[in-house]
Amino acid sequence: MTYTISPWTPNSTSDQLYPTDVTLRFSTYTTVVYIVIYLPLWFCIVFGNVLVVCAFWYYRELRKVQNYLLISLAVTDILTGIIALPVMLVVRLLNSPLTCFASTRFNFLLPTIVFSGSSISHLIAIAVDRCFSLTWPLKYPRLVTARRVIVVIAIIWMINTTLACLPLYYPNPEIDQWVCAGNGTYNTEANVIFLFITFSLPFFVLCLIVLYAIMLRVAFKHIKKRRELTNHTDDTARDAESRWRGIITMAVVVGAFAACWIPTTLKNCYETFATTTEKKLITVQTFSEYASFANSMINPIIYGYLNQNFKIGFRIVLTVWGCLKAKGTSGNNHFSLSERS
């Protein structure tokens, strides 16, 4: 991997001089294009996930324990949009002592690492929650209480924050290295970290696939038993449809997550094993980072498209915000403001 890590000393008399002020890494035109490409993504991430949180607040049908993890995931995506994405843009677009020295650069990457790990953990927790609800439907209300879910959310955040901050307690012996050019190599410890992330992402995706395979198997059994024991009344049909919608929604979320994060796995392999130039490396990094950030954008779209309750909640929020006209109480009004209480 040929990514720049060059030694630096304050009184160096070498020809390689590093800037002491802030400069653009690319031309002004390229920088503007970079920002313009990311701006719609940033807006969709923040707006879409704020919509999810507000829908949970306004629509009482969404205020259920099984949705707590979804709301925590939405909060993670909001933080990704307002903190991780802008900070990553600063790292990619600016040359400065803060963003280019090994001693301080990791501080800018820390939010992305924390929120990415939190997203993975939330998706696994959501899959386990759905698996419990299908496998032990009678025990589920006693097993999964609001207090326990809140504890799980707190543990998720603590574990991911702690793991992300571990490198801060093991300083790089070569902290005075400039990492924003293109003629050096990462040390062995960094390569080990890259490889760990590379192989852990597919492992987590595999875990999610196994969990949803179990849920599909259980769902098939439940539907078969209902057909044998009941006349398949409207309530039974509605319940079966609701369960299927929940499974499909979360399966699509997991699939979208895998599609968005596979480029990161490939990027880590490319950085670790390939001999490349700075231009090619930046292109690969930009594509993989855009794809990973896009995952924070598509979750609200999936909720609105596949989950009827979230769809109603979205309409209530948009009505409150004045984006939609409020309907009267007569007729088939699924999103009247009376649902707010």
Side-chain angles (χ1 to χ4, degrees):
M1 178 181 66
T2 58
Y3 189 77
T4 303
I5 299 182
S6 305
W8 175 81
T9 54
N11 298 321
S12 175
T13 57
S14 64
D15 294 333
Q16 178 67 45
L17 298 177
Y18 303 114
T20 58
D21 55 354
V22 178
T23 60
L24 292 178
R25 192 173 185 180
F26 311 109
S27 66
T28 303
Y29 174 79
T30 303
T31 302
V32 171
V33 170
Y34 210 98
I35 294 174
V36 169
I37 292 174
Y38 269 92
L39 193 59
L41 178 63
W42 171 84
F43 175 81
C44 291
I45 290 173
V46 176
F47 177 81
N49 288 285
V50 167
L51 195 62
V52 170
V53 175
C54 290
F56 178 83
W57 176 261
Y58 279 106
Y59 187 40
R60 64 173 177 267
E61 291 298 322
L62 292 175
R63 300 176 205 162
K64 299 178 181 179
V65 175
Q66 57 263 41
N67 287 331
Y68 285 8
L69 287 168
L70 292 175
I71 298 307
S72 183
L73 176 61
V75 171
T76 303
D77 291 335
I78 292 172
L79 295 175
T80 298
I82 64 177
I83 299 178
L85 193 154
V87 170
M88 184 61 69
L89 283 181
V90 169
V91 171
R92 293 297 177 218
L93 297 179
L94 298 182
N95 280 333
S96 71
L98 286 177
T99 59
C100 289
F101 280 129
S103 57
T104 54
R105 184 179 179 85
F106 180 79
N107 298 332
F108 289 86
L109 304 178
L110 188 61
T112 300
I113 298 173
V114 172
F115 301 144
S116 298
S118 180
S119 293
I120 298 173
S121 302
H122 275 90
L123 287 173
I124 293 177
I126 291 169
V128 172
D129 174 77
R130 294 298 184 262
C131 194
F132 281 170
S133 69
L134 284 172
T135 307
W136 299 294
L138 298 180
K139 296 181 181 180
Y140 178 80
R142 291 185 288 109
L143 289 174
V144 183
T145 62
R147 178 176 296 181
R148 289 176 178 175
V149 174
I150 292 173
V151 170
V152 169
I153 292 173
I155 291 174
I156 287 174
W157 281 101
M158 286 190 295
I159 290 177
N160 285 283
T161 302
T162 301
L163 291 177
C165 292
L166 282 179
L168 298 177
Y169 297 96
Y170 297 93
N172 189 337
E174 299 175 328
I175 60 175
D176 291 331
Q177 290 182 328
W178 190 267
V179 295
C180 290
N183 56 357
T185 58
Y186 271 127
N187 55 31
T188 303
E189 291 77 7
N191 285 332
V192 170
I193 294 174
F194 278 130
L195 290 175
F196 175 78
I197 296 174
T198 298
F199 292 108
S200 64
L201 287 175
F203 171 76
F204 287 128
V205 172
L206 180 61
C207 290
L208 293 173
I209 292 174
V210 170
L211 286 170
Y212 280 103
I214 295 173
M215 282 186 277
L216 287 174
R217 182 171 177 269
V218 173
F220 277 124
K221 287 185 177 181
H222 285 180
I223 293 175
K224 183 179 180 180
K225 288 182 179 179
R226 288 195 186 96
R227 288 176 177 174
E228 294 175 352
L229 300 176
T230 70
N231 294 324
H232 202 68
T233 62
D234 291 340
D235 290 341
T236 303
R238 192 179 301 112
D239 180 65
E241 181 182 359
S242 176
R243 288 177 181 272
W244 273 110
R245 280 185 176 273
I247 294 175
I248 293 173
T249 297
M250 295 313 306
V252 172
V253 170
V254 173
F257 178 87
C260 290
W261 283 95
I262 283 175
T264 297
T265 299
L266 298 177
K267 181 205 74 171
N268 290 340
C269 291
Y270 182 79
E271 288 182 340
T272 304
F273 300 110
T275 301
T276 184
T277 62
E278 183 186 18
K279 184 177 180 180
K280 291 180 180 179
L281 183 60
I282 291 174
T283 301
V284 172
Q285 288 173 336
T286 301
F287 175 79
S288 63
E289 288 163 5
Y290 195 95
S292 62
F293 283 128
N295 183 249
S296 298
M297 174 190 69
I298 63 179
N299 285 339
I301 298 175
I302 296 172
Y303 300 149
Y305 183 74
L306 294 177
N307 190 303
Q308 184 64 26
N309 282 334
F310 269 105
K311 188 183 295 185
I312 297 172
F314 292 163
R315 290 177 179 175
I316 293 174
V317 174
L318 293 175
T319 301
V320 173
W321 290 353
C323 301
L324 293 176
K325 293 183 179 180
K327 291 187 177 182
T329 57
S330 61
N332 186 22
N333 177 21
H334 291 290
F335 55 98
S336 65
L337 297 184
S338 62
E339 297 289 352
R340 294 171 57 182
S341 60

